[in-house]
Amino acid sequence: MTQLGTLYGVGVGPGDPELLTLKALRVLREVDVVFTSAQAKSGTSIAQEIAAPHLRDGAEVIPLAFDHTFEGVASGAAHRENAAVVVEVLRRPATAAFLTLGDPMTYSTFTYLLSAIREILPDAPVAVVPGITSFAAAAAAAVEPLAEGDESLCIVSAAKGTDLLRRALGAADSVVVMKGFRQTAALCELFESEGLGQQVILSARCSRPGETLVRGTTRIRELPRQYMSLLLARRKRGPNC
Ligand SMILES: C[S@@+](CC[C@H](N)C(=O)[O-])C[C@H]1O[C@@H](n2cnc3c(N)ncnc32)[C@H](O)[C@@H]1O
């Protein structure tokens, strides 16, 4: 039987290098190969920037190019192509880490890549190192609880519009909206229609240089749109609830 290396999906946290876990640190120091999701312009990534000082001497860094458009993700072509590269490395055998900003199991390219890898190599040895997600870091930066007691928390994507937020606001006490930078105005309107305009917090580039934290839809609307931004809002309940 061919020996295979293990693939680690490693969450490197929201951006602050100090928000890397000890386990992520250990894995980064041990692996032979590090895969990154390369940004088209620079060829590097924030995740790589965070991991770089911890890699062992001689570790090979392989940037993988992904197509993040809706059509690209739906076709799965880049995932299949990159999965073949990862499988080739695991078959050497070599151990490898795929770096993810935040957590690898939360809105991450890692899970798509993993499905494509399993189509080629169903028994690929895989382990996931969780990371601090952007919304946990944003709540910490705001010093605001995401949820308390029996409150419910709903995390939605606004990549395709406001519908998921509308549904979440009907069901949850507290919401996190990710990937919503193109929809800021419509999202603000929706929060206002629910009487939550003052409660909304926008966190942009959380834990990165240039970090912004803004409260209230009036101020949020004035900001330039940023991909690395999210919204938090929690209905205030009475003290006896
Ligand atoms: C593809 S998702 C990645 C989520 C990531 N895996 C996590 O656990 O946070 C990208 C979205 O995450 C949010 N995001 C990621 N990093 C962020 C940061 N440092 N500050 C604010 N939002 C961030 C934004 O909503 C962005 O559009």
Side-chain angles (χ1 to χ4, degrees), residues 121-132:
L121 202 59
D123 298 328
V126 174
V128 178
V129 181
I132 295 173

Side-chain angles (χ1 to χ4, degrees), residues 11 13-16 46 68 100-109 131-138 156 176-181 202-208 211-212 226-231:
D16 179 347
I46 297 169
H68 295 293
T100 299
L101 208 53
D103 175 63
M105 306 313 262
T106 309
Y107 294 129
S108 159
T109 303
I132 295 173
T133 71
S134 49
F135 58 85
V156 296
V176 171
V177 184
M178 300 177 76
K179 302 192 274 186
F181 70 109
L202 176 135
S203 166
R205 296 183 61 82
C206 186
S207 87
R208 297 288 300 161
E211 170 173 10
T212 322
Q226 292 197 53
Y227 171 74
M228 274 183 83
S229 65
L230 57 81
L231 299 170

Side-chain angles (χ1 to χ4, degrees), residues 176-197:
V176 171
V177 184
M178 300 177 76
K179 302 192 274 186
F181 70 109
R182 288 197 186 88
Q183 322 283 346
T184 307
L187 293 167
C188 284
E189 217 169 285
L190 191 49
F191 280 119
E192 286 162 357
S193 71
E194 291 282 326
L196 288 168

Side-chain angles (χ1 to χ4, degrees), residues 134-148 151 153 173-176 198-203 206 213-216 230-237:
S134 49
F135 58 85
V143 197
E144 291 283 353
L146 281 171
E148 285 180 332
E151 292 173 1
L153 166 66
D173 299 292
S174 184
V175 293
V176 171
Q198 299 307 308
Q199 257 95 292
V200 187
I201 297 171
L202 176 135
S203 166
C206 186
L213 195 69
V214 169
R215 289 165 201 262
L230 57 81
L231 299 170
L232 310 172
R234 177 167 165 252
R235 286 180 205 281
K236 297 265 185 280
R237 289 202 199 174

Side-chain angles (χ1 to χ4, degrees), residues 71-131:
E71 299 76 25
V73 172
S75 95
H79 298 131
R80 283 192 294 277
E81 223 168 273
N82 289 322
V85 176
V86 175
V87 165
E88 189 266 334
V89 165
L90 300 182
R91 281 181 172 147
R92 283 181 192 174
T95 53
F98 180 87
L99 307 181
T100 299
L101 208 53
D103 175 63
M105 306 313 262
T106 309
Y107 294 129
S108 159
T109 303
F110 175 70
T111 55
Y112 294 104
L113 179 67
L114 184 55
S115 301
I117 291 169
R118 286 197 164 135
E119 275 177 26
I120 308 172
L121 202 59
D123 298 328
V126 174
V128 178
V129 181

